[in-house]
Amino acid sequence: LIPLFLIIGSGGVGAGLYLLRLATVNPDVSWDKKNNPEPWNKLAPTDQYKFYSVNVDYSKLKKDRPD
């Protein structure tokens, strides 16, 4: 039973850390609505906010929208 508890426990810790990362790094979440009400508008095209992206080089992306 010890390996089962270790695997389930590490899965729970991993899920908790991922949720913490989403709450702090994701541009869709705004904790400070007074100073920065729309944080997604301040992203540059070279900012990587996904946890994992396949075959995307963020340093070569160009801006595709107006300011």
Side-chain angles (χ1 to χ4, degrees):
L1 285 174
I2 292 173
L4 177 66
F5 290 132
L6 290 176
I7 290 172
I8 297 297
S10 64
V13 168
L17 289 174
Y18 183 67
L19 286 174
L20 180 67
R21 182 194 174 275
L22 283 177
T24 57
V25 177
N26 197 351
D28 294 333
V29 178
S30 177
W31 292 97
D32 186 15
K33 292 187 184 246
K34 184 182 284 186
N35 294 326
N36 193 8
E38 297 177 344
W40 51 87
N41 286 335
K42 299 203 185 288
L43 287 177
T46 57
D47 291 342
Q48 179 180 0
Y49 61 90
K50 287 186 173 183
F51 184 70
Y52 179 72
S53 61
V54 182
N55 298 329
V56 176
D57 187 12
Y58 284 95
S59 64
K60 295 181 181 177
L61 291 177
K62 297 189 189 236
K63 192 171 186 178
D64 62 347
R65 58 186 180 254
D67 287 334

